[in-house]
Amino acid sequence: ETKIKENDLIYFITATGNIPEVMRQMRRKDKPYKKIIIAGGGNIGMLLAKKLEEQDYQVKIIEIDPNKTVALSEYLNESIVLLGDAADKELLLEENIENTDAFIAVTSADEANILSSMLAKRLGVHKVMTLINRPSYVNLVESDVIDVAISPKQITISTLLARVRSNNVISAHALRNTISEVIEIIAKGDPETSKVIGKPIKDIPLPKTSYIVAIVRDEKIIMEHSDLVIEQDDRVIMMHRLFY
């Protein structure tokens, strides 16, 4: 009887092809982005602008370092390179920030990214995406002001989690709140050698902080129920709280 409330953080397990329908049910569909402003002309901003312009987006990139703007102008073909401070209100207004679909802040300074993103949102940009290197900042700033906070360290953690565990772990992802992770494990062995194969979930001893939420069997997702029996080669999806 769980009821979903506004601003709840919800995690779904679904087939890839069903993602658009799930998103449609949960929120209004955003119109396709066309006009993008990128704050920061470092490696991330430069490569992002290149990829976007190759896909026919209208890209403007703001960089405060004159030397970098020269390099950007030589590297990019279609993007407009602007010399200035992305937190300059007058500059953003001159570049029609209110008619821009997305503002993406990817400088090397968290504070600059946060401030410029908040300003852009206040001036009317549709969506704000902000690169934040300190994971502790992510939960603090992702709100109605900053739509998407991206932490490279959390992405790295997800990659490392899968590598440091046993060979049966095929993927592991640290969730955004950093206190939980989702682990996907292949059930190997047989009822004689395995502690889980051939047993219903209710009989599998798990720590209080761990829950089996679903299994993938023959490319079909089966949601957890207490009588569900784990079979060989099932992909078991578990959620694990790092703190209890």
Side-chain angles (χ1 to χ4, degrees):
E1 300 296 329
T2 302
K3 294 183 178 180
I4 297 174
K5 297 182 179 180
E6 185 178 3
N7 296 323
D8 278 354
L9 189 61
I10 304 170
Y11 295 93
F12 286 95
I13 298 173
T14 184
T16 302
N18 294 334
I19 291 176
E21 176 62 19
V22 171
M23 296 302 295
R24 187 184 69 81
Q25 294 292 338
M26 296 305 300
R27 60 182 298 179
R28 69 179 186 275
K29 184 177 180 180
D30 291 330
K31 67 177 183 179
Y33 298 154
K34 191 65 178 178
K35 300 178 180 179
I36 312 289
I37 291 181
I38 298 173
N43 290 334
I44 295 175
M46 180 174 64
L47 294 174
L48 178 60
K50 187 70 171 179
K51 290 292 184 181
L52 289 172
E53 70 176 17
E54 289 174 353
Q55 298 176 35
D56 296 325
Y57 288 91
Q58 298 173 20
V59 180
K60 297 178 181 179
I61 183 166
I62 303 173
E63 171 55 48
I64 200 169
D65 185 336
N67 294 325
K68 287 185 178 179
T69 58
V70 173
L72 287 166
S73 298
E74 294 174 349
Y75 180 73
L76 300 171
N77 297 319
E78 304 294 335
S79 301
I80 297 174
V81 180
L82 303 168
L83 175 62
D85 184 351
D88 183 340
K89 178 180 178 180
E90 297 303 320
L91 175 59
L92 293 180
L93 289 174
E94 287 177 7
E95 299 306 324
N96 299 310
I97 187 67
E98 70 277 10
N99 295 320
T100 299
D101 296 314
F103 180 90
I104 307 174
V106 290
T107 75
S108 58
D110 287 351
E111 292 79 6
N113 290 339
I114 294 169
L115 289 174
S116 63
S117 296
M118 294 175 68
L119 176 61
K121 191 70 172 183
R122 185 163 62 85
L123 294 177
V125 71
H126 177 64
K127 176 156 285 190
V128 167
M129 305 178 193
T130 309
L131 179 68
I132 299 176
N133 290 288
R134 297 183 185 180
S136 59
Y137 280 10
V138 174
N139 292 335
L140 296 176
V141 302
E142 195 167 47
S143 62
D144 291 337
V145 178
I146 294 178
D147 300 294
V148 181
I150 305 164
S151 170
K153 188 169 290 186
Q154 286 187 8
I155 296 172
T156 302
I157 288 172
S158 296
T159 303
L160 291 174
L161 285 172
R163 291 184 179 274
V164 300
R165 292 190 167 88
S166 68
N167 292 333
N168 290 347
V169 177
I170 57 177
S171 66
H173 300 280
L175 303 184
R176 185 182 64 82
N177 58 19
T178 72
I179 65 170
S180 302
E181 60 187 20
V182 174
I183 306 171
E184 185 177 359
I185 306 171
I186 298 180
K188 291 293 186 182
D190 55 49
E192 299 297 325
T193 61
S194 172
K195 296 181 180 180
V196 299
I197 292 176
K199 293 184 178 181
I201 289 177
K202 64 182 179 182
D203 293 338
I204 298 174
L206 292 173
K208 292 182 179 180
T209 56
S210 299
Y211 309 88
I212 295 175
V213 295
I215 66 171
V216 179
R217 179 183 298 160
D218 298 327
E219 303 304 320
K220 294 181 179 179
I221 298 173
I222 305 174
M223 300 308 297
E224 180 273 342
H225 57 83
S226 60
D227 294 323
L228 179 62
V229 176
I230 305 295
E231 298 181 2
Q232 184 174 356
D233 294 326
D234 279 352
R235 289 157 57 191
V236 181
I237 301 172
M238 299 182 62
M239 181 170 286
H240 172 67
R241 288 180 58 86
L242 301 178
F243 307 101
Y244 182 67

